[in-house]
Amino acid sequence: MKRQTHLAPAKRAIIIGMDGASMELVKNSIDWGHAPNMRHLLKTGVYRSMIGVFPTLTPPGWTALSTGSWPGTHKVMDFNIRALGEQLDKTVWGINTGLCHSEYLWNLVERAGGKPILVKWEMSWPPTVTTGIQVEGTGPGVSNHHQIAGYHLFVAGEWAPRPIGGQRDPETLDPSALQKIRHIDAVTLQPAGAAEWHALPDSQESVLEVALTIQPLARGRADMNRGKHGTPKPFYGLIYAAGENGYDTIRICRTRSGDDVIAELGVGDWSDWWLDAFEIDGAEVEGYVRMKLVTLTPNADAFELFVPQIWPREGYTVPSTVATAIDEEIGSFLQNPARDALGQLDDDTYFELLEYHHQRLADVAAHLAKTEEWDVLMVETHAPDYASHFFLSQADELSGAAPETIHRCREGLRRTYESVDRMIGRLMELADEDTVILVCSDHGGTPNQFRAVDIEQVLEETGFIVRTENGELDWTKTRAANVGLVHIFINLAGREPNGIVAPEDYEATQRELIAALHAYQDAETGRHPFTLAVTRADAEMLNLHGELVGDVVYALRPEFDGAHGKQLPSVSFGIGGQHSTFILSGAGVREGVALQRQVRVVDVAPTLCYLLGLPMPANVEGGVVYEALEDANWHLTRLAELSA
């Protein structure tokens, strides 16, 4: 760097992000013995439950952590952000760095003459790096611009999904799992016609065939897909009995020839990854494919074969040559470990993919750290958030779930945090005595207790939303509508295209809305689910300000929310909470200290900058966590040493 790095307490920083990992659950995981590497960092550094953003959501949370500024300043408010000047049901998709009004930490590092490396860092796409390196970074789960195809789950016969049960968080909160799609690929097993096939395998039973057709662009978010039309690509499976106990093997072939073999799988077996070509919008793109035979009964009355996300060999890095190096030196990348198949797929297969995903992130980070000059290395996993939306919901007794469900969910949490911790352990190996390591998160997650409150239903019940006979919003009678997670906008005349509330009635309507939310009672429990409802002006205390903020902003009590989102960032509930994780260890950091003073998500970037001797990012609003530092006045100490 241009700066004199030898004067600063730290020369490098490794930042490990865990989406949705509450400090409460991280600490529990450490205490339960699931996270020995994080335990080591905690004992050799400092930690604190960190106050995050509101809403407790991915886009504003990671943007705040990466810029040191609050949502009201950086403007990335939500997954679905108010489209100013449009009808109230029109929104802007929030996973877009072009919306951010503040300087990212990685761009600040570049401005200071250093080099950042980002590996799947959340909320960093489209890339803004200029001299640094970036690998992926488009968003959680299916929210990406690169995948060739999402997962395929081919099933036949007596197959059944494996849901946890209970309520699901909506796509507005959890876009990593599309819900309005067909989740399986139904196929038919039929006798393999000898006239159509060449070179059938020897079998103790009649050989069966199954068509396995890959559909490019399947199970992707439509507005983030890499194209419009994917040409279906068929593969063929021969199901046969290699032994004497019935059907036990599938041979995957490119054509109807038993000699044209890609893989031969027994139950529970994975194929190797193979590179294949697919057609999207008339152009060929190469990507990596893998298959697992999950289920095959001896009489073939139940069949299940899984194909995870198909990822391209190029096009997902900056500069583009990095993808080539990954392809040649490491192999296939995997952005989504089948999070969107949870509940359909068996848990073991998901966790096998999750482990591969985490180790591949570590492989890529280690390769780049050893072959490139770097000053800041940033790696993110979304796995804790996947667990929050699926396993955490009923992992606590307060959920009222059956004991076997609670056990399954606790196991899901254990396996998640053990896998994350193994990745962290490998990243720790990249640090030397001049490196500071930060483990952090954007928000937390809590278990479910009661059914989540549907704000649109509340507004309808209280008369603010009115629908037509066909169920659509009647803008001639609707006085207010919810936008994003926590914002309610008044349908104001002169501001909205179909506004009906007169400007002189604006404040009275705000008061009426707030009173209605505070008075609202949940029909099943008789409780009041809204913990907060304030005007736009008063929302500044939540670090929300500007035209993108609702005329009324509200928060729910955790027992009436899903995993996260509408809860305040200071909530603890059951085995989880909404506090973000903050564990800092290494060069310039105190050892074995539980911090007592408040730490906020916007303090992360300025604290790292201070330790690294960097200037502060433009628009920074956070401060340095001086309590965490060995020498809070290190710059004065250095000056004194130089002048002595």
Side-chain angles (χ1 to χ4, degrees):
M1 288 190 182
K2 294 177 182 177
R3 59 194 171 86
Q4 291 180 301
T5 54
H6 64 280
L7 295 178
K11 293 182 179 180
R12 287 175 166 174
I14 297 174
I15 308 170
I16 305 164
M18 307 183 297
D19 194 285
S22 71
M23 190 72 239
E24 290 90 342
L25 189 52
V26 167
K27 187 61 168 59
N28 279 331
S29 296
I30 291 171
D31 293 342
W32 295 335
H34 304 333
N37 292 304
M38 282 192 273
R39 175 188 291 275
H40 176 78
L41 291 174
L42 190 143
K43 286 190 172 183
T44 58
V46 301
Y47 68 97
R48 176 70 157 83
S49 296
M50 183 163 64
I51 298 296
V53 302
F54 185 74
T56 42
L57 194 63
T58 290
W62 284 120
T63 307
L65 188 146
S66 299
T67 64
S69 61
W70 293 110
T73 297
H74 65 59
K75 306 300 182 187
V76 185
M77 314 289 286
D78 203 305
F79 281 116
N80 300 282
I81 304 171
R82 170 73 200 281
L84 294 174
E86 301 287 338
Q87 194 167 277
L88 286 174
D89 58 352
K90 305 296 182 184
T91 57
V92 174
W93 184 237
I95 300 182
N96 182 354
T97 55
L99 301 175
C100 183
H101 288 227
S102 297
E103 185 178 30
Y104 291 107
L105 175 62
W106 51 88
N107 293 135
L108 178 276
V109 171
E110 291 178 323
R111 177 160 63 89
K115 187 171 185 176
I117 297 176
L118 282 65
V119 179
K120 199 193 164 293
W121 189 259
E122 195 71 11
M123 296 302 299
S124 63
W125 204 273
T128 63
V129 294
T130 55
T131 59
I133 290 173
Q134 180 163 345
V135 178
E136 216 272 318
T138 59
V142 299
S143 303
N144 71 78
H145 298 282
H146 308 298
Q147 75 176 17
I148 293 171
Y151 78 85
H152 287 67
L153 183 58
F154 297 104
V155 302
E158 299 175 1
W159 176 88
R162 305 163 175 95
I164 291 288
Q167 63 187 343
R168 291 189 67 181
D169 292 325
E171 283 185 28
T172 53
L173 175 61
D174 180 24
S176 59
L178 299 179
Q179 296 178 22
K180 298 177 182 178
I181 61 169
R182 184 170 177 79
H183 294 284
I184 61 171
D185 303 273
V187 293
T188 301
L189 310 187
Q190 58 189 17
E196 296 180 353
W197 275 89
H198 172 69
L200 292 176
D202 294 333
S203 176
Q204 300 298 316
E205 303 286 347
S206 299
V207 179
L208 305 176
E209 73 164 357
V210 58
L212 306 168
T213 302
I214 300 295
Q215 177 63 60
L217 306 181
R219 299 188 178 93
R221 187 180 173 90
D223 58 353
M224 296 184 77
N225 276 340
R226 63 183 298 146
K228 298 296 184 183
H229 176 72
T231 302
K233 180 160 187 168
F235 296 90
Y236 302 93
L238 287 172
I239 296 172
Y240 67 101
E244 298 180 352
N245 297 317
Y247 292 104
D248 55 12
T249 307
I250 184 170
R251 179 176 294 179
I252 309 298
C253 304
R254 292 187 183 278
T255 63
R256 280 192 168 91
S257 171
D259 292 333
D260 194 4
V261 182
I262 299 173
E264 193 126 348
L265 306 174
V267 176
D269 290 345
W270 281 100
S271 73
D272 293 331
W273 292 96
W274 77 84
L275 191 63
D276 225 309
F278 300 86
E279 185 178 295
I280 296 177
D281 293 344
E284 185 178 281
V285 57
E286 290 185 307
Y288 284 96
V289 188
R290 192 185 191 195
M291 295 183 178
K292 179 185 179 182
L293 181 59
V294 179
T295 302
L296 176 60
T297 53
N299 59 0
D301 61 352
F303 168 79
E304 182 179 17
L305 184 137
F306 185 69
V307 182
Q309 174 192 56
I310 300 176
W311 193 258
R313 69 187 307 190
E314 59 185 11
Y316 62 96
T317 66
V318 176
S320 59
T321 52
V322 171
T324 302
I326 292 172
D327 186 62
E328 294 175 351
E329 302 296 330
I330 300 172
S332 58
F333 190 73
L334 183 70
Q335 181 258 3
N336 179 9
R339 179 270 174 270
D340 40 338
L342 273 169
Q344 308 293 324
L345 188 65
D346 65 294
D347 294 350
D348 286 344
T349 300
Y350 166 74
F351 282 109
E352 288 164 7
L353 278 172
L354 184 66
E355 184 66 13
Y356 177 89
H357 169 69
H358 281 145
Q359 292 305 310
R360 191 45 43 104
L361 293 180
D363 290 339
V364 171
H367 173 74
L368 293 174
K370 292 172 183 176
T371 58
E372 302 283 346
E373 294 294 327
W374 61 278
D375 298 278
V376 174
L377 173 64
M378 305 173 73
V379 183
E380 186 264 355
T381 170
H382 224 84
D385 191 61
Y386 300 159
S388 289
H389 288 293
F390 192 74
F391 294 110
L392 178 58
S393 61
Q394 296 181 86
D396 196 299
E397 286 78 3
L398 60 78
S399 69
E404 59 271 19
T405 299
I406 293 174
H407 174 73
R408 177 186 175 189
C409 291
R410 284 290 184 101
E411 282 295 286
L413 293 179
R414 175 187 65 80
R415 296 173 79 174
T416 296
Y417 280 92
E418 285 180 346
S419 184
V420 171
D421 192 71
R422 283 190 288 270
M423 181 191 76
I424 290 174
R426 288 195 56 199
L427 296 174
M428 288 165 58
E429 295 173 2
L430 304 176
D432 59 20
E433 62 182 10
D434 295 319
T435 304
V436 61
I437 300 176
L438 170 70
V439 177
C440 58
S441 68
D442 56 334
H443 58 74
T446 55
N448 295 164
Q449 185 173 28
F450 306 129
R451 181 158 293 278
V453 168
D454 183 339
I455 185 61
E456 194 164 305
Q457 180 181 330
V458 172
L459 293 176
E460 192 170 350
E461 290 178 9
T462 51
F464 290 96
I465 283 179
V466 178
R467 297 190 181 277
T468 62
E469 290 183 359
N470 62 8
E472 296 179 354
L473 290 179
D474 185 345
W475 294 107
T476 67
K477 298 177 181 178
T478 292
R479 292 191 294 151
N482 56 297
V483 179
L485 278 193
V486 299
H487 303 276
I488 299 173
F489 283 87
I490 292 171
N491 194 17
L492 188 64
R495 186 184 70 179
E496 314 304 341
N498 302 298
I500 63 170
V501 176
E504 58 268 25
D505 296 328
Y506 174 77
E507 292 186 1
T509 306
Q510 281 181 308
R511 292 194 296 271
E512 186 181 350
L513 270 166
I514 291 170
L517 297 183
H518 282 155
Y520 186 82
Q521 282 185 287
D522 175 62
E524 293 184 12
T525 65
R527 299 191 186 189
H528 295 277
F530 290 89
T531 191
L532 184 76
V534 298
T535 65
R536 173 187 284 182
D538 288 341
E540 188 171 4
M541 71 174 182
L542 301 171
N543 302 298
L544 297 172
H545 57 84
E547 293 181 303
L548 298 175
V549 178
D551 300 304
V552 169
V553 174
Y554 70 91
L556 289 173
R557 297 186 59 80
E559 56 266 39
F560 290 99
D561 194 15
H564 62 90
K566 300 179 180 182
Q567 307 170 42
L568 292 172
S570 54
V571 164
S572 293
F573 188 63
I575 60 174
Q578 290 307 324
H579 287 95
S580 300
T581 294
F582 180 84
I583 303 174
L584 189 68
S585 180
V589 179
R590 297 169 69 191
E591 187 171 335
V593 176
L595 301 179
Q596 300 301 307
R597 299 194 288 276
Q598 190 181 72
V599 178
R600 306 164 303 164
V601 70
V602 293
D603 299 333
V604 167
T607 300
L608 290 171
C609 289
Y610 189 72
L611 278 167
L612 293 166
L614 289 166
M616 293 294 153
N619 294 343
V620 67
E621 294 174 294
V624 176
V625 184
Y626 291 108
E627 187 187 2
L629 308 183
E630 286 182 331
D631 183 359
N633 298 300
W634 71 261
H635 55 301
L636 298 178
T637 301
R638 297 293 185 273
L639 285 173
E641 290 172 351
L642 291 171
S643 61

